[in-house]
Amino acid sequence: MFFLPTRIPIPPAFYSTETDAPIETCLVCDRSLLDRNTEYLVEKAVRQHPEYDVREVIFEYALCLRCHADLQDEISDASKRALETYFLERANLYQRAALLMSENAPGPFPETGANGGAGTSGPDPERWMDRCIVSGTPIEALEEYQLIGHCVGREMLMTHLPLVIGHEAMNEIMQRLSRETRDRLGGFQEEHFGPPEMPHELPVPIFA
């Protein structure tokens, strides 16, 4: 059975920190994103400072699907296979999407893990991104994490996205990428944001 993704207003967690509103343009091509039928991905990286009760946004951006596809084309085949294997082994994205889009979907995050299980029905975006999709670690316990969401115009599509991925999982992913891919992603990062402070701070939507 085929399910259309539920659409919800873009959660404030994906708003621009500068404007406190949805991000308006694609990072690469400057295309307007808030038109009704424009699809795009939003990614944010956040570092938490619990001693000061502060969340610092390391980077945030949006990519239209055309620019996202162009970037994906530059990822090596070996890296694509490694990413697919990693997520199949560590996070069942297909099950996650099926649970969400099912009419009577149970909550995606049971007490014992990050996939499946009992809970309340309905696509609650806060519940859908309250912990790392790989480790199941609650978001408040993550030193750093990345948020990724799929939007169309002024709405968010609830599929296997949005999701949260913690810094430890990001490090594992980067270690599995080919040198060629890491160099390309590093070039993308430096072009748009300058040199990263840490090797895993590569703002590329490689999970969507």
Side-chain angles (χ1 to χ4, degrees), residues 61-79:
Y61 68 96
L63 278 184
C64 70
L65 290 195
R66 180 175 58 189
C67 290
H68 174 265
D70 289 343
L71 190 59
Q72 289 279 19
D73 286 343
E74 298 185 33
I75 295 177
S76 71
D77 289 340
S79 291

Side-chain angles (χ1 to χ4, degrees), residues 46-50 58 137-145 166-167:
V46 178
R47 178 181 296 134
Q48 302 195 102
H49 302 276
I58 303 170
T137 303
I139 195 170
E140 60 269 15
L142 295 170
E143 178 184 347
E144 296 179 17
Y145 60 88
H167 66 287

Side-chain angles (χ1 to χ4, degrees), residues 7 11 22 39 51 59 93 108 115 126 135 155 161 170 178:
R7 295 190 182 199
E39 291 190 52
E51 65 274 24
F59 61 75
L93 300 184
N115 296 311
E126 295 299 326
S135 68
E155 297 177 308
L161 303 175
M170 279 298 302
S178 68

Side-chain angles (χ1 to χ4, degrees), residues 103-183:
E103 189 172 58
N104 297 309
F109 298 126
E111 293 181 358
T112 57
N115 296 311
T120 59
S121 63
D124 178 356
E126 295 299 326
R127 187 165 53 87
W128 206 244
M129 54 186 187
D130 70 349
R131 62 192 65 209
C132 174
I133 191 174
V134 172
S135 68
T137 303
I139 195 170
E140 60 269 15
L142 295 170
E143 178 184 347
E144 296 179 17
Y145 60 88
Q146 291 182 217
L147 290 168
I148 305 171
H150 183 184
C151 300
V152 52
R154 297 180 180 273
E155 297 177 308
M156 175 170 282
L157 300 178
M158 299 291 286
T159 56
H160 65 279
L161 303 175
L163 61 78
V164 169
I165 186 162
H167 66 287
E168 290 185 3
M170 279 298 302
N171 282 337
E172 291 177 353
I173 288 168
M174 295 308 298
Q175 292 170 8
R176 286 164 170 76
L177 299 181
S178 68
R179 170 73 65 168
E180 174 188 357
T181 295
R182 290 199 302 270
D183 288 346

